[in-house]
Amino acid sequence: GQQVMQIPQYQHVQEGEDFTTYCNSSTTLSNIQWYKQRPGGHPVFLIQLVKSGEVKKQKRLTFQFGEAKKNSSLHITATQTTDVGTYFCAGPNPRVDTDKLIFGTGTRLQVFP
Amino acid sequence: NAGVMQNPRHLVRRRGQEARLRCSPMKGHSHVYWYRQLPEEGLKFMVYLQKENIIDESGMPKERFSAEFPKEGPSILRIQQVVRGDSAAYFCASSQGRVDNSPLHFGNGTRLTVT
């Protein structure tokens, strides 16, 4: 079945350092979505990428969708303590008879002040 | 516009009891999804429902687990004869349409503890 892997599993950074998480799918995706889950919280939608090679920015966050639409990355510039949490990528299951998001394994980010 | 409402927030059950988790989707959302999250792990898809229909339950254990989304009222995830391994956070999410076009909105989750 479809698998979505993320690396690294954990990342500890000093405040002000940059951070990147990588997402790889076993199948081509129609789109990729990114979610953030704070410790003890619930996942919150960040962004959706649809086009091959697409790049989107949200303040210090840069999201990229690979040319083959099988991988994606999230880069945070100059991390802050408010960036702490787990970042998940997610892609739709390619089967037409269902409609669900398959979530990646997640990258947990810890930021030290 | 209220978000996705889940209750209870925390639920403690003894082994063998039943657990009922409720989820009211966002207003106007007809797609409901249940995910399970074990401590320090990712989100595992369980079931996808629309009103009165189970569309995809491929992620749900065949025994003891059931889900419904009646015409009136919230979606219910029911776990019969709970075991310790059922302890997890159960998240409900809703969307306005297909996930190709509509992001998921998650509730706060129900943290189930089986003693």
Side-chain angles (χ1 to χ4, degrees), chain A residues 9-10 30-31 33 35 37 40-45 48 50 88 92-93 95-106 108, chain B residues 9 31 33 35 37 40-43 45 48 55-56 58-59 91 95 97-109 111:
Chain A
Q9 191 175 1
Y10 302 98
S30 60
N31 71 83
Q33 300 179 22
Y35 291 77
Q37 184 178 23
H42 60 278
V44 174
F45 172 75
Q48 180 182 31
V50 178
F88 293 100
N93 184 280
R95 282 173 47 190
V96 297
D97 60 339
T98 185
D99 183 47
K100 63 191 180 192
L101 275 183
I102 304 301
F103 279 79
T105 46
R108 189 186 309 165
Chain B
R9 191 77 187 269
H31 299 230
Y33 309 80
Y35 285 83
Q37 187 175 41
E40 313 296 319
E41 292 194 9
L43 295 150
F45 168 80
Y48 160 47
I55 308 299
D56 184 344
S58 59
F91 288 98
S95 70
R98 289 186 62 84
V99 293
D100 277 4
N101 304 310
S102 310
L104 294 185
H105 297 261
F106 282 85
N108 287 327
R111 272 88 179 157

Side-chain angles (χ1 to χ4, degrees), chain B residues 44-59:
Chain B
K44 302 296 183 192
F45 168 80
M46 297 182 74
V47 61
Y48 160 47
L49 311 101
Q50 294 185 21
K51 279 288 185 184
E52 299 185 275
N53 286 307
I54 297 174
I55 308 299
D56 184 344
E57 55 183 348
S58 59

